[in-house]
Amino acid sequence: MDSKLEAPPPGPDTPPRKHLSRRAIFIGSVIAVLVLAGIGWLAWHLTRPASDTASATGPGAPGGGGRRGAPATTVGVATAEKTSIPILLDALGTVTPQATVRVRPQVTGVMQKVLFKEGQMVKAGELMAIIDPRQFELALQQASGQRQRDEAQLDSARVTLQRFRTLLGQDSIARQEVDSQAALVKQLEGTVVIDKANEGAARLNLGYTRVVAPVSGRVGLRAVDIGNVVSPSDANGIALITQVMPIDVVFSIPQDQVGELQQTAASGAQMRVSALDRTRATVLDTGVFASLDNQVDTTTGTVKAKARFANSKLALFPSQFVNVQLLVRTIENAVVVPVTAVRLGASGDYVYVLNAAERTVSLRPVKRGPATVDKIVISSGLAAGERVITEGADRLKDGARVVLPGDAPGGAGARQGGRRPQGAASAPRGDTATPASAAPAAGASAPGPAAQAPAAAFEAPTAQQRQRFLDQVKDDPEALARRKTLLEQIDRGDAAAIARWQQIRERRRQGSAAPAQ
């Protein structure tokens, strides 16, 4: 019997199975796509920020009067100024002493005295150690005695020679004896010269028992102790002296800078060099440029240079790595702007110049010059006193309208809409304002819940917000004064100032939420 279960055949009461046609499937797919598109549009409509509609149709829109367009961009500005700017060349250098001398004994003997301490500063000619001099004193006495004996023999030979010459004049002696005596005198004269040289060598060896410093500098670690037998063949010698005052710093400069350095050096001007520590925060010492090497290193494309430092404070240590700043020259009366103001486009460098009256910007091609860490020289295209955009320039175009951080909400940008911000119409923009908690003036209607809501939800600016608020216009004295006055009015509870602060924050939130133009 088969164990598999078979489906019962359809009976008379079983309804027939219906099959969907291609048309029904297509219509169902279209309906599903339309439903999904509607759900997506509804989600976008509900989550879209309300500020998008307000910025496109409100009074703050470009052109005013509710016309559609992008809102004005809040930017930071700086004033092009004419000043002297130094051209610096940065490099990594190594401190190199002018002289490094290993003090070795010139004679062999027993170390009798050590008169220096490790790390001590010594001067040239200063006594450092004494070797036992007794054997050298005896050698000097022996050489002196030998010289005296030979000098006595020479004197006797000279007297005899004089007698022989007298007898020869009387024809009482043979000429051969006179010539022999003259030869003996010359022989003894040579012997005396040798004796004097031996005596000088003995005296020199005796002087070598007093070890003196050959150069001025710092003494290193001691290599011998009292009682050691020292000799000229000792590898470590007695001590190592390194000259540290003055001291040199060797560094490498790019080969493209060699011509300018040579011209400046040939003019007789001294180029100032500063040696900084690893963090570049502390100047260790200041010196002058000394010399250049005579060839370019082909592996690096650089040339070695040397600067000399007095090192009076001993801040530079031999073989120390330091950061070097070389003042090549100083550009006088140069027009400079912050580095963030200059931008690079398809046609070259340009800046955005602020038109203060219209609160618009103009694109201005410029030619850049040398630059420092935060300033850049404008060789042409910009005059001193013009104001350029330093922040927010990536959202600007030529002729775009801008808002400065220090502008009042009721200023040029807000007046285009024909309305003043809520809460600012009833409060004067002066030195004294009515506090938010004060009663309304006589004849004035009390503020409703809508007017009181911003004051109730007001959050005082924090210390960080205050600092950023002031730092944005630190290069604009006029805007900086306006911002300080606004913060003082907020601290006094001025309702108009509070409203202005809330509008500034709201405008910044809208600007950060809007996509970049």
Side-chain angles (χ1 to χ4, degrees):
M1 182 177 179
D2 192 1
S3 60
K4 295 182 180 179
L5 298 178
E6 297 181 357
D13 297 334
T14 302
R17 181 177 298 175
K18 296 181 179 180
H19 296 281
L20 296 178
S21 62
R22 293 183 177 179
R23 181 178 180 182
I25 294 174
F26 176 75
I27 294 175
S29 301
V30 171
I31 293 174
V33 170
L34 293 177
V35 170
L36 292 176
I39 294 175
W41 176 86
L42 180 61
W44 174 82
H45 182 73
L46 294 178
T47 58
R48 182 181 59 175
S51 59
D52 292 349
T53 305
S55 62
T57 60
R67 288 182 294 177
R68 301 181 63 86
T73 304
T74 302
V75 297
V77 296
T79 303
E81 56 184 3
K82 184 174 290 186
T83 183
S84 299
I85 183 169
I87 305 302
L88 300 175
L89 180 63
D90 294 330
L92 181 64
T94 305
V95 180
T96 305
Q98 288 189 350
T100 300
V101 180
R102 187 171 297 279
V103 181
R104 289 187 174 92
Q106 301 298 311
V107 293
T108 302
V110 179
M111 183 63 66
Q112 190 177 53
K113 292 182 180 179
V114 177
L115 304 177
F116 66 92
K117 296 181 180 179
E118 297 175 335
Q120 175 186 347
M121 296 295 297
V122 296
K123 296 181 180 180
E126 183 176 347
L127 182 62
M128 298 181 61
I130 297 177
I131 300 174
D132 189 0
R134 290 176 294 180
Q135 59 176 335
F136 303 100
E137 292 174 350
L138 295 176
L140 177 59
Q141 292 178 4
Q142 182 178 1
S144 298
Q146 185 72 25
R147 176 187 57 80
Q148 292 175 7
R149 184 190 64 183
D150 293 339
E151 285 180 347
Q153 291 178 358
L154 175 61
D155 293 339
S156 176
R158 286 174 177 172
V159 172
T160 304
L161 177 61
Q162 186 64 30
R163 292 194 187 118
F164 284 179
R165 286 176 178 174
T166 302
L167 294 175
L168 179 63
Q170 297 174 358
D171 198 15
S172 299
I173 191 172
R175 180 172 293 276
Q176 182 178 1
E177 293 184 8
V178 176
D179 294 340
S180 298
Q181 188 64 29
L184 179 60
V185 170
K186 290 184 178 296
Q187 181 180 357
L188 292 176
E189 287 178 348
T191 303
V192 170
V193 171
I194 294 174
D195 293 340
K196 288 182 178 180
N198 292 334
E199 183 182 8
R203 184 174 285 105
L204 184 61
N205 289 335
L206 179 61
Y208 282 152
T209 60
R210 298 172 58 86
V211 182
V212 298
V215 295
S216 299
R218 188 197 302 271
V219 181
L221 299 180
R222 189 173 61 186
V224 297
D225 296 320
I226 297 175
N228 292 146
V229 177
V230 295
S231 66
S233 61
D234 293 342
N236 296 328
I238 296 177
L240 182 68
I241 300 178
T242 302
Q243 186 175 353
V244 295
M245 292 190 303
I247 202 167
D248 297 334
V249 174
V250 177
F251 57 97
S252 298
I253 61 173
Q255 59 182 358
D256 299 336
Q257 301 287 339
V258 173
E260 186 175 5
L261 290 179
Q262 285 183 334
Q263 292 178 1
T264 306
S267 64
Q270 286 190 345
M271 291 176 282
R272 182 173 58 86
V273 183
S274 299
L276 297 88
D277 63 352
R278 181 178 56 85
T279 61
R280 306 182 70 88
T282 304
V283 177
L284 301 177
D285 203 352
T286 302
V288 294
F289 180 80
S291 60
L292 277 173
D293 199 359
N294 58 359
Q295 59 183 352
V296 178
D297 187 352
T298 57
T299 59
T300 60
T302 59
V303 180
K304 288 185 178 181
K306 181 181 291 186
R308 184 150 297 171
F309 297 82
N311 199 24
S312 58
K313 298 181 180 179
L314 300 178
L316 299 178
F317 204 81
S319 301
Q320 176 186 4
F321 289 102
V322 294
N323 291 294
V324 178
Q325 277 190 350
L326 172 61
L327 178 61
V328 181
R329 57 190 174 94
T330 301
I331 302 178
E332 303 291 343
N333 298 324
V335 178
V336 298
V337 296
V339 175
T340 55
V342 181
R343 309 185 71 81
L344 179 62
S347 57
D349 298 322
Y350 66 92
V351 297
Y352 283 111
V353 181
L354 174 67
N355 303 318
E358 296 83 5
R359 282 297 190 265
T360 59
V361 295
S362 301
L363 189 146
R364 180 86 58 83
V366 296
K367 183 178 180 181
R368 71 164 67 193
T372 61
V373 177
D374 55 347
K375 298 290 185 180
I376 186 170
V377 176
I378 302 300
S379 302
S380 61
L382 192 67
E386 292 186 291
R387 302 173 73 183
V388 294
I389 305 302
T390 58
E391 297 179 9
D394 54 342
R395 301 189 298 271
L396 298 179
K397 294 182 179 179
D398 191 14
R401 187 168 57 85
V402 296
V403 175
L404 301 184
D407 288 346
R415 283 198 299 269
Q416 292 179 2
R419 294 187 300 174
R420 296 179 62 86
Q422 183 180 359
S426 60
R429 196 183 307 161
D431 296 335
T432 307
T434 305
S437 60
S445 58
Q452 294 179 355
F458 170 70
E459 296 182 1
T462 63
Q464 292 80 1
Q465 291 175 343
R466 290 171 181 264
Q467 188 63 35
R468 288 196 301 268
F469 190 58
L470 296 177
D471 288 343
Q472 290 176 351
V473 293
K474 60 183 180 180
D475 296 329
D476 190 348
E478 181 181 352
L480 183 62
R482 290 199 301 267
R483 290 198 173 194
K484 289 182 178 180
T485 303
L486 177 62
L487 293 176
E488 292 175 358
Q489 292 176 355
I490 291 175
D491 295 338
R492 293 198 299 265
D494 187 353
I498 293 175
R500 288 165 59 191
W501 173 256
Q502 291 177 332
Q503 289 185 357
I504 291 174
R505 293 192 61 187
E506 182 64 25
R507 185 166 61 248
R508 290 184 178 178
R509 284 196 295 268
Q510 293 177 3
S512 61
Q517 299 295 328

